[in-house]
Amino acid sequence: MEVHNGEGMELALATSANITNEDTCVEVDIEEEYTFPAKDGPLPIFLKFEDVEYKVRVVSKNLMKAAMVSVASHLRMEQGSYKKILKGISGSVGPGEILALMGPSGSGKTTLLKTLGGRLGGDIKGHISYNDTPYSPSLKRRIGFVTQDDVLFPQLTVEETLVFAALLRLPTNMSKQQKHSRVDAIIKELNLERCRHTKIGGAFVKGISGGERKRTSIGYEILVDPSLLLLDEPTSGLDSTSASKLLMILQNLAKTGRTIILTIHQPSSRMFYMFDKLLLISEGHPIYHGKARDSIQYFSSLGFLPEIAMNPAEFLLDLATGHVEDINIPETLRCSLNPEEFSMQVIKFLQRKYKTEVEPEDKKENQQASKAPKHLRLAIQMKKNWTMNWLDQFVVLSRRTIRERSKDYLDKLRLAQAIGVAILLGLLWWKSKIGTEAQLRDQIGLIFYICIFWTSSSLFGAVYVFPFEKLYLIKERKADMYRLSAYYASSTLCDLVVNIFYPIIFMVILYFMADFRKTVSCFCLTVFAILLIVVTSQGTGELLGAAILGIKRAGVMASLVLMLFLLTGGYYVQHIPKFIRWLKYISFMHYGFRLLLKVQYSGDLMYNCQSKGGCQSLQTSPSFDTIDLNSGLQEVLILLAMALAYRLLAYFCLYRRISITSF
């Protein structure tokens, strides 16, 4: 099999051959086995795909139509309703080549790219081989995938983004200094020196430009020397100069022995001639596959000639969409053309010509091509081990989490909220007493409000973590960067450790202003009880966020859960009807409130001493009808068990949801 790149380089697989790179004037001798590139370069991948088809189930959302048919017939319609996205696409690409997937929007370019990268599940038909072997999980870490939307943490700088990726993805036999040197080399290679210490930025954070973001995304993937680099619309949103520079970088990457495939919509003329191969897709069908430079000649041979000077890409896209206003068309096609089906007739003609004239030759060449050497077929099936052990992954992810969430952890507004609310409550309940039933009821109300405040802030602070980081997590899990358990543990513990300081500051201010029991043990137990409520609330929020992974829906569900726990907490309603009493046993606010009451009012405390009957035990108060103040602190064990159970459930929900999208 021969592989040609845009500079005329030819790679021949044989028992004895020579490879000459005209750009570097270096001659490499191959004896018995293919050895390009050098041992420290990426593993060569020869990618072939034949008759690739993909279809998705179409679910009708027309409720009126669904109401008019029976449930059984509706289900039968759903089961048989599919839409074909890819309709028999074939092609090939090898090391040193750039294959461009072109076509109008909705033609199936991105779907094909994801299919070739092993990132699409579902009903896929056809044959795809990598060095003549089918796709396997061992290929995950040999494939770099740059999405159209740059999925990068906005609070990290360019250098931090690449350093953390290097620490997680590069092999353990490399020292930290070598990994940092690798990052420096990538930054220089991609011309990112000017912005290396600038934040990535996002919708609400000022950061680097679009071209710099795209180059950072590419650097993120090429850190580990991927053999196959896939890019989805890498020039989207860039000006022509930036796009051309980016493509020149991709050309240099291809010369190192990488196989590169990219989707692109409408490149400039200069960019178009940088491609080695072109696959033109129209409505899921291929209408051209071959050298990019030969595409215009092919369509000219069919009778399609531009009447005015046109960008080659614009000419090809006009053909792919059937718009031929400024293009001469074959006489035979013009004679049979129906004006109402003008575009469709052109597209069908091109699809038919490709199917009968081009595709058979392509398939014949692929079948006659030499197979990849045995050692390449074996090497591609060897799964790379984790680059770091679990503990090292946890440490690196914890550092990145703290750095990325530092703005939230050290939020001045959040600190001001905790201090401000504590002072306000302290003033409202200044030197509160428990001498009478009314005074006791007031102080109990303060305790319940403390539960509400820290439950709501902790619950809503945790419920959005996984929905916000979903895209980053899916991307990194698809690349097998780390174990999900290491990510979850680092995320949970970082949030937990940092967030315990706010309740402590809150209680230090409020406790003495409200004149709670002034003993060291009581103060420490009160703070401990608040922290238990915070920890359990965070676990509940994480569970809801991991189970839903949608920002709006997670927020709505958190509001419903908070309302449920608030109503069953034991302050508004103590004597709940039996048929719904079970709700309070799943409410951690119920146990947290009871725990705080026991901490504050256990012992031989008396009240109502000025009444005619004399002093009475606090236990006789109607406020404690359902609570035995001296029954021990079993609520501590229940809250700890809830906190652990919620987090375990959150992890399994997250694992299940992420596994569905991470193939």
Side-chain angles (χ1 to χ4, degrees):
M1 180 177 67
E2 290 187 348
V3 182
H4 304 273
N5 67 11
E7 306 296 334
M9 179 178 69
E10 297 186 358
L11 305 176
L13 287 181
T15 56
S16 180
N18 288 328
I19 299 177
T20 302
N21 189 325
E22 293 180 1
D23 291 329
T24 58
C25 298
V26 176
E27 186 174 295
V28 182
D29 183 60
I30 299 179
E31 294 183 4
E32 296 186 354
E33 287 188 330
Y34 181 72
T35 58
F36 179 83
K39 292 181 180 179
D40 59 345
L43 177 74
I45 285 186
F46 295 89
L47 174 60
K48 301 176 186 176
F49 49 100
E50 187 172 323
D51 297 327
V52 176
E53 296 182 1
Y54 180 74
K55 59 183 179 181
V56 294
R57 179 176 295 178
V58 179
V59 179
S60 174
K61 295 183 180 179
N62 192 331
L63 299 179
M64 295 298 293
K65 185 177 180 180
M68 295 173 63
V69 297
S70 66
V71 174
S73 63
H74 180 64
L75 289 175
R76 284 195 297 272
M77 179 192 72
E78 294 272 341
Q79 292 173 355
S81 179
Y82 285 91
K83 179 182 179 181
K84 268 195 174 184
I85 307 297
L86 303 178
K87 305 169 184 177
I89 298 182
S90 303
S92 64
V93 61
E97 290 183 324
I98 298 178
L99 169 63
L101 307 180
M102 279 183 57
S105 299
S107 59
K109 304 186 299 294
T110 300
T111 301
L112 178 60
L113 192 74
K114 290 181 178 179
T115 303
L116 298 179
R119 300 200 173 202
L120 201 63
D123 196 354
I124 300 174
K125 295 182 180 179
H127 179 69
I128 304 174
S129 66
Y130 309 78
N131 290 352
D132 298 316
T133 60
Y135 179 85
S136 65
S138 61
L139 274 167
K140 266 189 177 184
R141 293 176 216 173
R142 299 190 187 278
I143 298 177
F145 196 103
V146 181
T147 58
Q148 181 174 357
D149 298 321
D150 302 309
V151 183
L152 302 169
F153 287 104
Q155 294 294 341
L156 299 181
T157 66
V158 170
E159 185 176 30
E160 287 171 341
T161 298
L162 297 179
V163 165
F164 283 123
L167 293 175
L168 288 168
R169 304 182 74 180
L170 292 178
T172 51
N173 59 7
M174 291 180 67
S175 65
K176 285 187 178 181
Q177 184 178 358
Q178 289 175 320
K179 292 179 180 181
H180 280 273
S181 298
R182 173 72 175 156
V183 169
D184 289 336
I186 294 293
I187 288 176
K188 291 178 181 177
E189 185 178 0
L190 299 179
N191 297 322
L192 293 170
E193 295 99 328
R194 187 176 63 88
C195 62
R196 68 186 301 158
H197 299 301
T198 307
K199 287 184 178 181
I200 298 296
F204 305 104
V205 182
K206 187 177 180 180
I208 58 179
S209 67
E212 290 166 340
R213 285 172 63 90
K214 186 61 67 177
R215 296 203 299 273
T216 304
S217 295
I218 294 174
Y220 192 94
E221 296 297 333
I222 66 173
L223 268 172
V224 291
D225 273 342
S227 302
L228 177 61
L229 183 60
L230 308 175
L231 305 99
D232 187 16
E233 298 282 359
T235 60
S236 178
L238 303 182
D239 58 80
S240 59
T241 303
S242 299
S244 297
K245 289 181 179 179
L246 180 61
L247 207 52
M248 289 176 66
I249 291 172
L250 294 178
Q251 268 193 328
N252 293 331
L253 293 175
K255 291 174 185 177
T256 62
R258 292 181 178 88
T259 303
I260 297 180
I261 306 177
L262 58 87
T263 64
I264 196 161
H265 186 67
Q266 192 168 340
S268 64
S269 301
R270 180 187 300 174
M271 291 171 58
F272 179 81
Y273 289 108
M274 292 182 184
F275 303 139
D276 300 300
K277 282 188 172 181
L278 173 68
L279 177 57
L280 186 60
I281 305 173
S282 175
E283 296 185 350
H285 290 279
I287 58 175
Y288 177 79
H289 173 253
K291 292 182 179 180
R293 293 176 178 271
D294 295 342
S295 57
I296 306 299
Q297 182 180 352
Y298 166 74
F299 288 107
S300 298
S301 67
L302 298 180
F304 294 93
L305 295 169
E307 296 177 345
I308 60 175
M310 298 178 70
N311 178 342
E314 184 180 357
F315 170 68
L316 296 176
L317 284 176
D318 282 349
L319 292 178
T321 55
H323 297 297
V324 290
E325 284 80 1
D326 298 316
I327 300 174
N328 279 325
I329 60 175
E331 191 66 30
T332 55
L333 182 62
R334 184 180 297 135
C335 294
S336 61
L337 206 58
N338 185 341
E340 296 181 357
E341 300 177 353
F342 188 91
S343 299
M344 189 56 63
Q345 291 285 345
V346 173
I347 293 173
K348 293 292 184 184
F349 176 82
L350 293 173
Q351 291 173 356
R352 186 169 60 253
K353 284 292 184 180
Y354 175 83
K355 206 74 175 175
T356 57
E357 297 181 9
V358 180
E359 190 174 62
E361 292 296 323
D362 280 351
K363 290 183 177 180
K364 185 177 179 181
E365 288 181 9
N366 282 341
Q367 291 173 358
Q368 293 177 350
S370 303
K371 286 190 174 182
K374 183 179 179 181
H375 79 286
L376 289 184
R377 296 199 301 271
L378 295 176
I380 206 169
Q381 298 176 47
M382 294 175 62
K383 186 173 182 179
K384 292 184 178 180
N385 295 324
W386 292 103
T387 55
M388 306 178 77
N389 59 43
W390 190 94
L391 184 59
D392 290 335
Q393 289 181 358
F394 171 78
V395 171
V396 174
L397 288 170
S398 297
R399 287 172 52 200
R400 189 181 74 172
T401 299
I402 293 173
R403 182 67 187 87
E404 197 274 325
R405 301 180 190 173
S406 59
K407 188 175 180 180
D408 295 328
Y409 290 158
L410 305 175
D411 188 4
K412 294 179 181 179
L413 183 61
R414 189 177 177 187
L415 179 62
Q417 179 195 41
I419 296 175
V421 172
I423 293 175
L424 177 61
L425 295 178
L427 293 174
L428 290 172
W429 274 270
W430 178 260
K431 301 298 179 182
S432 61
K433 306 295 181 182
I434 57 172
T436 65
E437 182 66 35
Q439 290 174 334
L440 176 62
R441 194 67 183 170
D442 282 348
Q443 198 173 86
I444 292 174
L446 172 59
I447 292 175
F448 190 69
Y449 183 81
I450 293 172
C451 290
I452 295 175
F453 178 75
W454 285 111
T455 295
S456 59
S457 61
S458 302
L459 183 67
F460 282 101
V463 76
Y464 296 117
V465 171
F466 298 133
F468 271 122
E469 294 191 355
K470 177 178 68 173
L471 294 178
Y472 310 106
L473 184 55
I474 290 174
K475 170 191 171 181
E476 293 174 344
R477 284 291 298 156
K478 284 182 176 180
D480 267 358
M481 281 183 62
Y482 47 72
R483 296 171 176 85
L484 183 62
S485 57
Y487 164 83
Y488 180 77
S490 65
S491 176
T492 298
L493 289 179
C494 287
D495 286 350
L496 187 62
V497 171
V498 174
N499 290 331
I500 65 175
F501 293 106
Y502 294 99
I504 294 175
I505 295 171
F506 177 90
M507 288 309 300
V508 166
I509 297 172
L510 176 61
Y511 195 88
F512 301 102
M513 292 181 69
D515 203 22
F516 286 126
R517 292 177 68 178
K518 295 178 181 178
T519 64
V520 174
S521 60
C522 190
F523 172 76
C524 293
L525 286 174
T526 301
V527 172
F528 177 70
I530 297 297
L531 293 180
L532 272 181
I533 294 173
V534 169
V535 170
T536 311
S537 302
Q538 285 181 341
T540 307
E542 288 179 358
L543 174 59
L544 294 174
I548 298 173
L549 282 184
I551 295 175
K552 290 184 179 179
R553 289 182 297 166
V556 171
M557 186 57 67
S559 300
L560 294 175
V561 170
L562 179 63
M563 182 185 68
L564 174 65
F565 286 177
L566 187 150
L567 293 175
T568 57
Y571 178 76
Y572 297 111
V573 183
Q574 293 189 46
H575 303 282
I576 301 177
K578 288 184 179 180
F579 68 91
I580 201 173
R581 191 173 298 170
W582 59 272
L583 284 174
K584 72 178 183 180
Y585 297 114
I586 64 172
S587 168
F588 61 82
M589 190 181 290
H590 166 75
Y591 296 105
F593 181 51
R594 288 170 64 96
L595 178 59
L596 284 172
L597 292 179
K598 287 185 177 184
V599 169
Q600 281 297 315
Y601 305 121
S602 62
D604 298 327
L605 294 179
M606 309 297 288
Y607 86 116
N608 218 12
C609 292
Q610 296 180 354
S611 64
K612 293 181 180 180
C615 294
Q616 300 175 21
S617 172
L618 277 180
Q619 185 65 68
T620 62
S621 169
S623 300
F624 305 123
D625 276 353
T626 59
I627 303 174
D628 183 0
L629 295 176
N630 298 301
S631 62
L633 303 179
Q634 64 266 25
E635 285 82 5
V636 173
L637 297 177
I638 295 174
L639 287 172
L640 287 174
M642 280 186 167
L644 180 61
Y646 286 148
R647 280 173 166 77
L648 288 175
L649 287 173
Y651 172 73
F652 287 117
C653 287
L654 187 64
Y655 179 83
R656 183 176 179 275
R657 293 297 302 275
I658 296 299
S659 296
I660 292 174
T661 52
S662 300
F663 298 98

